[in-house]
């Protein structure tokens, strides 16, 4: 008879398998309430457009059949928006830029001075900034000072008239020369050589330059004037025409006609609003659950950062409505969260932000949202593997280029058909979107170091910076407690290889190992590795409980140093958790030898026990380091494995690994990794012969 498992047992097994990889960081009720209020704020902002919403929308199915009650001319809003968009690119108003005009005048004056200097020196065929004919050279040589001043004044006044009308940089040289000749006719320069030379000098000074700049306000005003002058697109409706048929989609033109005849009712729709509110709140809850699954040590400030960014993005969507570019609001926050909290957290945030889009996107339709989500996902996947800020800086160039190419490929018409939307994107619009994205990514990259301190983000770059052995705290450890520092480097090698064997966070455990014993700086001579040939202070103390208090103090003082040097919480957790609640066996045995009742809890570290795989591996490395160091050179690998396994099993029997989520196979891989490191450190060397001194 086959036994069918109960549904409850299947559920418990699934929950156990899908649980987080580490122990969850518990939030207090007040912290949970703060996060809940922020999630409700996101839900309120996201659902606000549906609070007062027309019952009908373009594209929805018509609930009734409608006949036009009278003749009418209805404004076509869709065609009007298309017309407005087409006018934006060619309705640019330019005004005179006084600074550029002054610069061009100074250039002309410099050329006139150069021409006079070359004339005075009487150099070869090429005189000054222009080529001179024989007649022009003769005129320059014969002219008097009065004629020169009058000629210079005529040239400058002609330039003033030309610049006052505006000058474009892409005007052909021949056209510019003809314009200069036409202006010079007003001053009646004589002889002909003087007039031709003036035209050459003006052309040389003004060609390839412009003294115009774009005025946004006047451009906007011109667009509105052109829209007013042009025929406003209308829909001609005759009495008795069929506007909508029941069950068929409502076109944008039919929606405008229904709105004109008052058949589109705008009134509060609490049911639709409540549905959107619940959807947004549920999306925030799912986002936080997934983030806690990916990062069990998610702190309150991490959650506040993620939900706060979502609230800002939803507010920007509501403020700018359909004109908001998805690239501007999705990519940069996703990159920040992926770098600080992990790729999974960044991707789930991006998914929620993309789904909660309150207004339809104008311009290119849903294609822009798809491209933005793709670029954000690629950025999150790449950012999770970056190990320096220089590599992140490369993303600020690569992602905008990828967004530009993606939008250009996907949003262009294909064989006369458009993939999304009703408008073709221009290169200027695509380049503007990509440029804005690059600026926001650069700003986010500059903001990440501040967010690391304010919100406790732990990026790869930050981990590598903390692992620099020239940092003040590590440098002090190497100078004041050299034995402890050497012990730290040994443990760091063991723990790093153990983490690599089971796929744990190698960068985190490397950095945490370097700081796990910094508390011994408060009294380095009380620890055996720092004692040289002097007396042991514990022998002079002759108080096992006092000695146990000294050992516990290195944990407490280490946490104080971590707070003083602003170490991130995941790094500071290595200080107490690498000892857990282990017994101080030597001093406990010494107290029991003295007789009397001995409380074991006084000879245990106060913990907590390791709550992650990384801190558990460090505890095992700390316990195995001394045993492996004491093994003789001829010890086999099997004997070394047995030695480490006895230490690990003692930790397991003491309950030190129950919260670390390490399973049996991972523990076995860690043991063998420790032995491999020990074998590398105990390699044989060739004895070099040393000749005797004479």
């Amino acid at each position: 008879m086959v036994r069918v498992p109960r549904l409850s047992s299947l559920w418990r097994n699934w929950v156990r398998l899908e649980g987080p990889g580490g122990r969850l960081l518990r939030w207090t009720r007040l912290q949970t309430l703060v996060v809940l209020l922020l999630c409700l704020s996101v839900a309120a902002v996201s659902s606000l457009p549906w609070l007062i919403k027309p019952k009908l929308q373009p594209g929805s199915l018509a609930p009734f059949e409608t006949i036009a009650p009278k003749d009418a001319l209805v404004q076509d809003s869709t065609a009007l928006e298309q017309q407005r968009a087409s006018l934006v690119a060619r309705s640019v108003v330019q005004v005179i830029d006084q600074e550029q005009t002054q610069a061009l005048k100074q250039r002309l004056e410099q050329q006139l001075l150069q021409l006079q200097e070359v004339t005075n020196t009487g150099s070869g065929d090429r005189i000054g900034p222009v080529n001179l004919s024989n007649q022009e050279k003769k005129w320059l040589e014969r002219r008097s000072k009065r004629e020169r001043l009058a000629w210079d004044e005529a040239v400058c006044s002609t330039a003033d008239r030309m610049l006052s009308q505006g000058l474009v940089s892409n005007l052909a040289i021949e056209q510019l020369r003809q314009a200069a000749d036409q202006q010079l006719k007003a001053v009646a320069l004589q002889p002909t050589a003087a007039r031709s030379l003036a035209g050459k000098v003006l052309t040389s000074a003004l060609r390839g330059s412009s003294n115009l700049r774009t005025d946004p306000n006047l451009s906007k005003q011109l667009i509105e004037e052109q829209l007013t002058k042009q025929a406003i697109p209308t829909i001609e409706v005759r009495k008795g025409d069929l506007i909508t048929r029941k069950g068929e989609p409502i076109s944008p033109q039919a929606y405008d006609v229904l709105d004109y005849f008052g058949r589109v009712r705008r009134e509060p729709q609490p049911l639709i609003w409540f549905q959107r509110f619940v959807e947004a709140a549920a999306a925030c809850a799912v986002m936080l659950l997934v983030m806690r699954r990916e990062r069990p040590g998610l702190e309150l400030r991490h959650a506040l950062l993620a939900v706060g960014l979502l609230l800002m993005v939803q507010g920007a969507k509501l403020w700018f409505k359909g004109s908001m570019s998805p690239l501007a609001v999705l990519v940069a926050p996703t990159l920040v969260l992926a770098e600080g909290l992990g790729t999974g957290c960044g991707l789930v945030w991006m998914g929620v932000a993309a789904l909660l889009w309150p207004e339809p996107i104008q311009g290119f339709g849903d294609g822009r949202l798809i491209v933005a989500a793709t670029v954000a996902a690629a950025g999150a996947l790449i950012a999770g593997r970056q190990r320096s800020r220089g590599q992140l800086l490369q993303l600020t160039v690569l992602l905008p280029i990828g967004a530009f190419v993606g939008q250009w490929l996907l949003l262009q018409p294909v064989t006369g058909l458009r993939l999304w939307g009703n408008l073709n994107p221009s290169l200027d619009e695509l380049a503007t979107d990509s440029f804005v994205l690059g600026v926001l990514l650069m700003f986010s990259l500059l903001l990440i170091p501040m967010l690391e301190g304010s919100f406790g983000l732990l990026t790869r770059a930050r981990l590598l910076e903390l692992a620099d052995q020239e940092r003040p705290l590590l440098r002090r450890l190497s100078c004041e407690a050299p034995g402890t520092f050497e012990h730290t480097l040994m443990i760091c090698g063991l723990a790093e290889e153990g983490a690599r064997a089971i796929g744990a966070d190698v960068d985190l455990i490397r950095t945490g190992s370097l700081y796990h014993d910094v508390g011994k700086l408060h009294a380095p001579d009380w620890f055996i590795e720092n004692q040289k040939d002097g007396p042991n202070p514990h022998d002079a103390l002759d108080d096992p409980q006092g000695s146990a208090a000294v050992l516990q103090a290195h944990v407490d003082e280490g946490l104080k140093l971590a707070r003083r040097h602003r170490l991130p919480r995941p790094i500071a957790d290595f200080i107490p958790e690498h000892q857990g609640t282990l017994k101080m066996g030597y001093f406990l045995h010494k107290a029991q030898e003295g007789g009397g009742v001995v409380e074991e809890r006084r000879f245990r570290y106060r913990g907590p026990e390791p709550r992650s795989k990384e801190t558990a591996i460090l505890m095992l490395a700390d316990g195995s380091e001394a045993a492996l160091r004491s093994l003789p050179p001829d010890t086999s690998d099997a004997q070394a494995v047995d030695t480490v396994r006895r230490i690990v099993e003692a930790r397991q029997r003491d309950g030190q690994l129950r919260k670390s989520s390490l399973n049996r196979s991972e523990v076995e891989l860690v043991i063998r990794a420790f032995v491999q490191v020990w074998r590398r450190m105990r390699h044989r060397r060739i004895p070099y012969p040393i000749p005797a001194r004479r």
Side-chain angles (χ1 to χ4, degrees):
M1 180 177 179
V2 180
R3 184 177 180 182
V4 180
R6 297 176 59 185
L7 184 61
S8 60
S9 62
L10 291 176
W11 170 257
R12 285 195 299 270
N13 291 334
W14 182 84
V15 170
R16 179 178 58 82
L17 293 176
E18 293 299 320
R23 185 173 178 82
L24 282 174
L25 180 64
R26 300 295 180 183
W27 293 347
T28 64
R29 292 184 179 181
L30 180 60
Q31 293 174 336
T32 306
L33 180 61
V34 172
V35 175
L36 178 61
L37 290 177
L38 200 56
C39 290
L40 294 179
S41 301
V42 173
V45 173
S46 302
S47 60
L48 190 59
W50 283 274
L51 187 58
I52 299 178
K53 195 77 173 176
K55 285 192 173 183
L56 298 179
Q57 292 289 339
S60 60
L61 300 180
F64 45 73
E65 187 174 287
T66 309
I67 305 296
K70 60 180 181 179
D71 296 343
L73 284 178
V74 182
Q75 179 177 310
D76 191 344
S77 61
T78 304
L80 183 61
E81 286 298 325
Q82 294 180 2
Q83 187 176 354
R84 186 190 301 273
S86 64
L87 288 175
V88 170
R90 50 190 175 89
S91 299
V92 178
V93 177
Q94 293 183 321
V95 296
I96 301 297
D97 189 344
Q98 296 299 332
E99 294 183 359
Q100 188 63 24
T101 300
Q102 191 64 28
L104 290 175
K105 289 181 179 180
Q106 291 177 359
R107 184 196 298 180
L108 177 61
E109 293 174 357
Q110 290 176 359
Q111 292 197 5
L112 293 176
L113 290 175
Q114 292 174 5
L115 188 62
Q116 181 60 30
E117 291 176 359
V118 175
T119 304
N120 295 335
T121 57
S123 58
D125 294 336
R126 183 177 178 86
I127 302 177
V130 296
N131 294 323
L132 300 176
S133 63
N134 292 329
Q135 292 79 6
E136 293 168 351
K137 287 191 292 184
K138 292 178 180 179
W139 178 80
L140 284 174
E141 293 171 355
R142 291 197 302 264
R143 68 177 181 174
S144 63
K145 182 177 181 181
R146 182 177 179 181
E147 290 176 339
R148 179 178 66 84
L149 294 177
W151 184 80
D152 289 351
E153 184 179 356
V155 172
C156 291
S157 62
T158 303
D160 289 341
R161 289 194 299 273
M162 295 179 66
L163 292 173
S164 64
Q165 296 175 349
L167 187 68
V168 294
S169 59
N170 55 356
L171 185 65
I173 296 179
E174 292 299 328
Q175 297 293 327
L176 183 60
R177 179 66 182 272
Q178 292 178 8
D181 292 340
Q182 291 294 328
Q183 294 289 344
L184 288 170
K185 289 179 180 179
V187 296
L189 283 176
Q190 294 296 335
T192 305
R195 186 169 61 252
S196 64
L197 180 57
K200 289 182 179 180
V201 172
L202 287 171
T203 303
S204 175
L206 301 180
R207 65 179 180 180
S209 302
S210 174
N211 66 331
L212 299 175
R213 61 177 177 84
T214 302
D215 191 316
N217 296 327
L218 294 178
S219 300
K220 183 177 180 181
Q221 183 179 351
L222 178 61
I223 293 173
E224 298 300 330
E225 292 176 357
Q226 290 181 349
L227 286 175
T228 304
K229 292 179 181 179
Q230 292 182 1
I232 297 178
T234 57
I235 305 169
E236 184 178 357
V237 182
R238 297 184 180 275
K239 182 179 180 180
D241 287 349
L242 179 64
I243 302 175
T244 58
R245 190 183 300 277
K246 185 178 181 179
E248 293 183 356
I250 301 175
S251 65
Q253 291 75 19
Y255 179 81
D256 292 334
V257 176
L258 290 174
D259 193 17
Y260 178 82
F261 288 119
R263 300 302 302 271
V264 178
R265 290 187 297 172
R266 288 175 172 82
E267 58 185 20
Q269 300 184 19
L271 292 179
I272 298 179
W273 171 82
F274 183 73
Q275 177 185 355
R276 299 293 183 178
F277 182 88
V278 173
E279 288 177 358
C284 291
V286 170
M287 179 187 73
L288 291 176
L289 288 175
V290 175
M291 293 178 73
R292 297 201 74 180
R293 168 65 177 84
E294 293 294 321
R295 192 180 181 90
L298 190 74
E299 301 180 33
L300 173 66
R301 48 185 176 173
H302 299 159
L304 293 180
L305 176 63
V307 183
L309 287 175
L310 188 59
L311 180 60
M312 293 174 55
V313 168
Q314 295 303 106
K317 295 175 185 176
L318 193 61
W319 180 266
F320 294 101
K321 297 185 178 180
S323 61
M324 170 59 69
S325 171
L327 285 171
V329 296
L330 289 183
V331 181
T334 301
L335 188 67
V336 170
L337 292 176
E339 178 67 12
L341 299 179
T343 301
C345 296
L347 289 177
V348 68
W349 185 93
M350 183 271 297
V352 172
L355 291 176
L356 297 179
W357 207 279
E359 293 289 338
I361 303 174
Q362 296 176 1
F364 317 135
D366 295 337
R368 298 177 69 187
L369 185 59
I370 294 175
V371 173
T374 304
V375 172
L381 293 173
I382 297 174
R385 301 178 180 179
Q386 302 304 301
R387 299 175 61 83
S388 68
R389 304 197 191 276
Q391 293 175 333
L392 286 177
L393 187 61
Q394 296 175 359
L395 286 182
T396 62
V397 178
L398 297 178
L399 290 181
I401 293 176
F404 177 82
V405 174
Q407 287 193 133
W408 185 78
L409 292 177
L410 294 178
L411 304 179
Q412 287 292 316
V414 181
T415 63
L417 299 177
R418 297 178 179 89
L419 294 178
W420 292 286
N422 298 317
L423 297 174
N424 292 332
S426 66
L427 291 179
D428 291 341
E429 292 170 315
L430 298 183
T432 301
D433 275 359
S434 300
F435 176 75
V436 172
L437 174 60
V439 171
L440 291 175
L441 288 176
M442 185 67 68
F443 177 74
S444 301
L445 186 61
L446 296 175
L447 199 63
I448 285 179
M450 290 184 286
L451 294 178
E452 289 174 349
S454 302
F455 291 92
L457 300 182
L458 190 59
T459 62
R460 294 289 165 190
R462 178 65 172 159
L463 280 175
L464 296 179
E465 291 172 0
L466 290 173
D468 184 7
Q469 296 182 17
E470 291 298 320
R471 294 188 69 86
L473 188 56
L474 295 180
R475 187 62 184 162
R476 182 184 166 194
L477 182 67
S478 65
C479 295
E480 299 181 18
T484 300
F485 187 71
E486 186 65 27
H487 160 78
T488 296
L489 295 180
M490 175 69 177
I491 290 180
C492 185
L494 293 172
E496 187 177 340
E497 192 65 30
R500 189 176 289 111
I502 65 172
D505 195 333
V506 177
D507 294 325
L508 176 62
I509 201 169
R510 179 192 301 116
T511 308
S513 301
L514 291 174
Y515 289 93
H516 80 284
D517 264 347
V518 293
K520 292 183 179 180
L521 284 172
H522 82 288
D525 294 337
W526 287 74
F527 298 91
I528 188 71
E529 65 268 18
N530 297 314
Q531 297 170 3
K532 298 179 181 179
D533 297 331
N536 191 336
H538 292 281
D539 296 337
L541 180 62
D542 195 21
D543 182 7
Q545 289 192 10
S547 297
V550 172
L551 295 186
Q552 175 60 43
H554 97 274
V555 174
D556 301 335
E557 295 296 327
L559 292 175
K560 292 180 182 179
L561 286 173
R563 288 192 294 269
R564 189 180 309 161
H565 289 266
R566 301 177 62 85
L567 293 181
R569 180 168 182 168
I571 302 299
D573 285 343
F574 281 85
I575 296 174
E577 292 182 19
H578 86 280
Q579 295 289 1
T581 57
L582 288 172
K583 288 187 295 186
M584 306 171 193
Y586 176 80
F587 295 111
L588 174 61
H589 177 70
K590 193 173 182 180
Q592 291 173 345
E593 286 181 346
V597 179
V598 178
E599 297 184 21
E600 185 178 301
R601 64 180 181 83
R602 295 182 178 273
F603 293 89
R604 281 187 177 271
Y605 289 98
R606 289 196 288 267
E609 299 161 355
R611 293 174 293 184
S612 66
K613 293 181 179 181
E614 288 78 14
T615 55
I617 292 173
L618 182 62
M619 169 183 278
L620 300 181
D622 193 20
S624 304
E625 184 263 343
L628 288 173
R629 189 188 293 270
S630 63
L631 293 176
D634 57 347
T635 304
S636 64
D637 289 353
Q639 292 173 335
V641 168
D642 290 338
T643 300
V644 177
R645 185 177 289 113
R646 284 196 299 270
I647 297 173
V648 172
E649 289 176 351
R651 300 290 191 271
Q652 289 176 324
R653 287 193 302 269
D654 200 25
Q656 300 297 321
L657 304 182
R658 58 184 179 181
K659 299 178 182 178
S660 66
S661 73
L662 278 177
N663 55 43
R664 292 183 179 179
S665 59
E666 290 174 336
V667 170
E668 186 64 27
L669 290 174
V670 170
I671 292 173
R672 297 186 180 276
F674 287 172
V675 174
Q676 290 177 2
V677 175
W678 167 79
R679 179 57 65 187
R680 291 200 301 263
M681 291 188 299
R682 298 296 295 269
H683 61 278
R684 298 176 59 189
R685 299 296 302 269
I686 299 175
Y688 287 90
I690 302 177
R693 294 185 62 180
R694 296 181 181 179

